[in-house]
């Protein structure tokens, strides 16, 4: 197996179409957001442009799925882009033209897929490339997704199953895909030696990526991924989701502190436990998903700072979910603070060190090994947090730098206090 950890040396940063366009993103929207990233975010490290679910479905309109609908598929049981939504995919070239345009911007291109083989391929009994096997011979009838009707899982012991996945990733490599998010796999059963478990299918996917001769980041969804599978996930994937879909709701953000506390020991180069996308800016354009249609994020400004601070100190991948072309000044400021982004991309050894009366503190070290402190107020009212530096092993005198404000505040030794808004956060470097 290749060293997959060399593909994602730092937490991937990018944009994913799900939060704003659901199942119905099109070519103009995809490339328009890529152009925005090139012009406004690329210099800060943002680089992946990811087309989420149902790109192979001609009738997709919103966040809902059309059950048992007709899908676009080639003669080898592989789903291909719907030409009415992605006109440059005609003549069988798939996403190659879009990927080329995104690469020309100095960015990288990603897609979402469901695990398994299309039910449509099974019902038509179509071929598997390079074999005398057909779709029916590798599909398993009880391995199905509970919320999407597109696919059957594969029997990983079946002859032709590996060849099917090899053919998929060979096609994606030819298209120029740099990132693949695979769904309906991270929160399923990880039974050893079971040919229908997520464990077996993830291993098969890993072999297919290694076989395709292209560096591709492997992201697994949805969560919660089982903590018992942490070592297996670390060996085979680059990212795996800690929760179900994360939306702009304070309760979901509050729950993420417990998830991060559980998973922080597994954060390392090439292995990024994933807190999910950033539902910031203009989201739910195509439907009423967890809130009003076509809204700006329901998080307060303080909650948005808390969200970014937690994702960055924990070193989660950063995947922006809003229609970037509609970003307001505040939203743009959240994702272009180079000092905060450096915590996500270059810090190390993050861990929770304090939790009492709604105040939570995480500690890490910067690239220069300066102490970093993220201080959170999860209470519904303002709070004055007292930070005891001595108890954290910080016994020197430091210059306290506020990374969100990008300014030095004062000299501190022994302890200091920080005023925090309701659901707010501060991110400090001690120099």
């Amino acid at each position: 197996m290749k060293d997959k950890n060399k593909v994602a040396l730092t937490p991937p940063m990018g944009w994913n179409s799900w939060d704003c366009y659901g199942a119905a993103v099109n070519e103009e929207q995809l490339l328009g957001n890529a152009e925005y990233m090139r012009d406004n975010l690329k210099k800060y490290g943002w680089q992946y442009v990811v087309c989420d679910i149902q790109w192979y479905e001609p009738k997709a309109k919103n966040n809902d799925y059309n059950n048992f609908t007709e899908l676009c598929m080639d003669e080898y049981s592989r789903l291909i882009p719907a030409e009415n939504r992605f006109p440059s995919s005609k003549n069988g070239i798939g996403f190659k033209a879009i990927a080329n345009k995104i690469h020309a911007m100095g960015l990288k291109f990603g897609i979402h897929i469901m695990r398994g083989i299309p039910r449509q391929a099974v019902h038509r009994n179509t071929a598997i490339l390079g074999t005398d096997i057909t779709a029916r011979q590798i599909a398993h009838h009880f391995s199905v997704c509970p919320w999407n009707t597109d696919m059957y899982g594969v029997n990983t012991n079946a002859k032709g199953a590996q060849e099917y996945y090899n053919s998929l990733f060979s096609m994606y490599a030819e298209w120029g895909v740099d990132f693949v998010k695979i769904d309906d796999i991270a929160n399923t059963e990880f039974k050893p030696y079971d040919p229908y478990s997520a464990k077996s299918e993830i291993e098969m996917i890993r072999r297919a990526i290694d076989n395709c001769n292209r560096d591709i980041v492997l992201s697994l969804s949805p969560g919660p991924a089982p903590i018992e599978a942490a070592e297996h996930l670390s060996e085979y994937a680059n990212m795996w989701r800690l929760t179900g879909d994360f939306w702009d709701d304070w309760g979901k953000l509050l729950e993420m502190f417990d998830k991060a506390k559980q998973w922080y020991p597994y954060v390392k180069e090439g292995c990024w436990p994933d807190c999910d996308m950033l539902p910031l800016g203009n989201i739910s354009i195509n439907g009423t998903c967890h809130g009003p249609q076509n809204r700006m994020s329901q998080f307060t400004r303080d909650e948005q700072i808390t969200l970014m601070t937690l994702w960055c100190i924990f070193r989660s991948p950063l995947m922006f979910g809003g229609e970037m072309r509609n970003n307001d000044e505040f939203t743009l400021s959240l994702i272009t603070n180079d000092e905060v982004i450096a915590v996500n991309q270059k810090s190390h050894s993050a861990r929770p060190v304090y939790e009492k009366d709604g105040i939570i503190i995480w500690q890490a070290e910067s690239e220069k090994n300066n102490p970093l402190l993220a201080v959170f107020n999860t209470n519904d009212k303002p709070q004055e947090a007292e930070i005891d530096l001595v108890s954290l092993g910080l016994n020197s005198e430091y210059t306290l730098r506020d990374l969100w404000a990008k300014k030095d505040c004062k000299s501190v030794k022994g302890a200091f206090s920080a005023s925090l808004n309701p659901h707010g956060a501060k991110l400090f470097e001690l120099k």
Side-chain angles (χ1 to χ4, degrees):
M1 188 169 75
K2 295 179 181 178
D3 186 357
K4 57 91 183 171
N5 292 339
K6 300 303 181 185
V7 179
L9 296 174
T10 60
M13 297 171 59
W15 173 82
N16 179 292
S17 61
W18 172 254
D19 282 357
C20 50
Y21 292 114
V25 68
N26 62 36
E27 183 165 338
E28 184 279 329
Q29 294 158 350
L30 202 63
L31 291 175
N33 277 276
E35 290 166 357
Y36 180 95
M37 185 181 292
R38 175 198 63 199
D39 296 341
N40 299 279
L41 302 179
K42 177 183 169 183
K43 63 183 178 181
Y44 297 98
W46 299 87
Q47 60 176 334
Y48 289 95
V49 178
V50 182
C51 181
D52 210 85
I53 196 167
Q54 305 301 120
W55 41 265
Y56 42 80
E57 184 193 339
K59 296 180 181 179
K61 293 181 179 178
N62 49 39
N63 291 70
D64 296 325
Y65 304 118
N66 297 315
N67 291 337
F68 306 106
T69 189
E70 188 80 8
L71 309 177
C72 296
M73 187 179 76
D74 72 7
E75 68 267 39
Y76 297 116
S77 310
R78 302 177 298 186
L79 297 173
I80 57 177
E83 289 183 19
N84 64 319
R85 294 168 53 198
F86 303 96
S88 70
S89 69
K90 63 185 179 181
N91 300 321
I93 70 167
F95 276 126
K96 191 170 185 176
I98 287 177
N100 286 344
K101 288 181 179 179
I102 289 173
H103 292 153
M105 299 180 202
L107 304 173
K108 296 185 177 181
F109 176 59
I111 60 173
H112 170 292
I113 66 171
M114 299 293 294
R115 70 175 176 91
I117 189 163
R119 295 189 194 188
Q120 179 174 293
V122 176
H123 299 157
R124 296 178 185 176
N125 204 24
T126 47
I128 304 299
L129 181 66
T131 75
D132 58 359
I133 304 298
T134 63
R136 289 181 191 171
Q137 294 171 268
I138 70 169
H140 201 281
H141 62 285
F142 67 65
S143 181
V144 296
C145 175
W147 43 266
N148 182 286
T149 60
D150 293 343
M151 315 293 277
Y152 287 117
V154 299
N155 175 353
T156 56
N157 279 353
K159 181 182 178 182
Q162 183 67 62
E163 287 78 4
Y164 165 69
Y165 267 120
N166 288 351
S167 75
L168 275 186
F169 280 89
S170 176
M171 180 175 69
Y172 300 155
E174 186 178 338
W175 288 351
V177 172
D178 306 294
F179 181 107
V180 176
K181 172 184 174 181
I182 301 187
D183 216 334
D184 189 37
I185 200 165
N187 66 349
T188 52
E189 293 182 288
F190 282 73
K191 296 178 181 176
Y193 315 117
D194 183 340
Y196 315 124
S197 77
K199 182 176 185 293
S200 302
E201 203 153 358
I202 290 167
E203 291 172 11
M204 183 166 279
I205 290 163
R206 180 77 260 160
R207 288 192 293 271
I209 294 174
D210 291 345
N211 184 68
C212 80
N213 294 316
R214 185 174 180 82
D215 289 339
I216 295 177
V217 174
L218 176 57
S219 170
L220 305 179
S221 288
I227 191 69
E228 303 79 31
E231 294 297 338
H232 186 267
L233 291 164
S234 296
E235 183 176 358
Y236 289 94
N238 300 109
M239 297 166 48
W240 53 92
R241 283 265 298 278
L242 308 188
T243 67
D245 284 2
F246 177 79
W247 283 95
D248 47 337
D249 173 82
W250 170 248
K252 289 184 178 291
L253 179 50
L254 193 58
E255 290 171 2
M256 200 63 74
F257 284 95
D258 290 334
K259 292 293 183 183
K261 185 177 180 179
Q262 183 183 37
W263 281 95
Y264 80 88
Y266 301 97
V267 174
K268 60 184 179 180
E269 186 178 274
C271 302
W272 308 112
D274 181 10
C275 296
D276 198 18
M277 288 182 287
L278 305 167
L280 302 174
N282 186 194
I283 59 178
S284 288
I285 291 171
N286 286 336
T288 56
C289 201
H290 298 274
Q293 183 172 354
N294 199 18
R295 67 181 182 273
M296 296 300 284
S297 179
Q298 297 173 122
F299 283 131
T300 67
R301 289 194 171 190
D302 284 301
E303 289 167 352
Q304 292 179 58
I305 290 171
T306 289
L307 166 63
M308 286 296 296
T309 303
L310 179 59
W311 265 237
C312 286
I313 196 79
F314 177 71
R315 302 197 75 195
S316 172
L318 300 178
M319 287 289 169
F320 190 85
E323 167 49 83
M324 294 190 291
R325 294 171 293 182
N326 296 337
N327 280 349
D328 58 19
E329 186 176 341
F330 175 75
T331 303
L332 182 60
S333 74
L334 286 172
I335 56 177
T336 56
N337 184 315
D338 55 346
E339 296 187 29
V340 173
I341 289 172
V343 174
N344 178 264
Q345 294 290 295
K346 299 177 181 179
S347 69
H348 62 89
S349 306
R351 66 273 186 198
V353 293
Y354 179 88
E355 183 172 354
K356 185 177 180 181
D357 297 330
I359 299 297
I360 297 173
I361 301 176
W362 278 64
Q363 185 175 348
E365 278 70 52
S366 74
E367 184 181 25
K368 296 181 179 180
N369 291 317
N370 291 331
L372 297 166
L373 294 176
V375 187
F376 304 93
N377 175 23
T378 64
N379 295 292
D380 296 334
K381 53 187 178 182
Q383 207 76 7
E384 194 76 15
E386 298 294 330
I387 295 96
D388 183 349
L389 296 176
V390 176
S391 69
L392 301 179
L394 304 176
N395 300 310
S396 302
E397 183 172 355
Y398 302 93
T399 297
L400 187 68
R401 183 166 182 82
D402 183 330
L403 298 187
W404 278 112
K406 300 178 75 168
K407 66 178 182 181
D408 293 339
C409 301
K410 56 186 175 182
S411 294
V412 294
K413 185 176 182 180
F416 72 96
S417 62
S419 299
L420 297 163
N421 292 333
H423 301 178
K426 295 285 181 72
L427 183 57
F428 299 110
E429 181 175 5
L430 280 64
K431 301 190 295 182

